[in-house]
Amino acid sequence: MRKIYNKLVRDRIPAIIQSECRDCQTRRLTSAEYQTELKAKLVEEAREVQEASDREALIEELADLSEVLDAMMDFFEIDATEIQAVKDAKAQTRGRFKDRIFLEFTEDEDEPSA
C-alpha cells in the first residue's frame, strides 16, 4: 500500500525506511521549493508542539521545531545573534511572555457624531 507524504523530512529518513525493507521515492528540492517547504515544516512542527500532551512529548516536539528553525537560519544565512538582538529589542519595548497576560479585547473611543 502506498502512503503519500509530499513533505520535507530529515536527511536520514529515506535510509531508515529502506532499512525496514520498504521502498520510498524522494527528490532533492530546488532552493525555492526548499524555502516553501521549510516554512510548511515550521507550521507542522508548531502544530505538533500545540498538540503535545505531556512534558516528554513537548520536549520532543520543541526539539523538532528547533531543528527546523536551525535549518531556516542556515538557509537564509541568519546568525543567532541577529535573532537575539531583535528578541532583546522587542523585550525592551513590548515585554516578554512571562506575566501570562491574555488580552481579551480593546475599546476605541467613540467617534464624535457628525
Side-chain angles (χ1 to χ4, degrees):
M1 176 191 267
R2 179 178 286 187
K3 186 171 180 181
I4 307 297
Y5 286 93
N6 288 328
K7 68 178 188 175
L8 180 65
V9 295
R10 291 175 178 259
D11 299 339
R12 296 194 60 235
I13 295 300
I16 292 168
I17 292 168
Q18 291 167 351
S19 75
E20 296 169 349
C21 298
R22 296 185 298 150
D23 289 327
C24 65
Q25 181 174 318
T26 64
R27 67 183 177 86
R28 189 170 302 278
L29 299 172
T30 66
S31 288
E33 289 172 321
Y34 185 54
Q35 179 178 339
T36 298
E37 293 304 319
L38 275 172
K39 290 176 181 179
K41 192 67 160 180
L42 183 70
V43 171
E44 174 189 338
E45 297 301 343
R47 282 190 185 118
E48 291 176 4
V49 166
Q50 185 178 33
E51 294 167 3
S53 58
D54 57 37
R55 187 174 191 277
E56 186 176 317
L58 180 62
I59 291 169
E60 180 89 15
E61 299 308 335
L62 287 171
D64 289 342
L65 185 64
S66 179
E67 189 68 36
V68 174
L69 288 171
D70 288 347
M72 291 183 81
M73 289 168 55
D74 184 52
F75 179 78
F76 289 104
E77 299 177 349
I78 298 171
D79 188 83
T81 57
E82 293 177 77
I83 292 174
Q84 190 62 51
V86 173
K87 275 180 64 176
D88 292 344
K90 285 187 173 190
Q92 283 292 101
T93 60
R94 296 173 159 240
R96 297 198 184 270
F97 293 99
K98 292 183 179 189
D99 292 340
R100 303 179 185 184
I101 296 170
F102 183 80
L103 180 64
E104 293 178 343
F105 64 87
T106 65
E107 284 187 23
D108 294 333
E109 292 183 30
D110 288 338
E111 298 275 329
S113 55

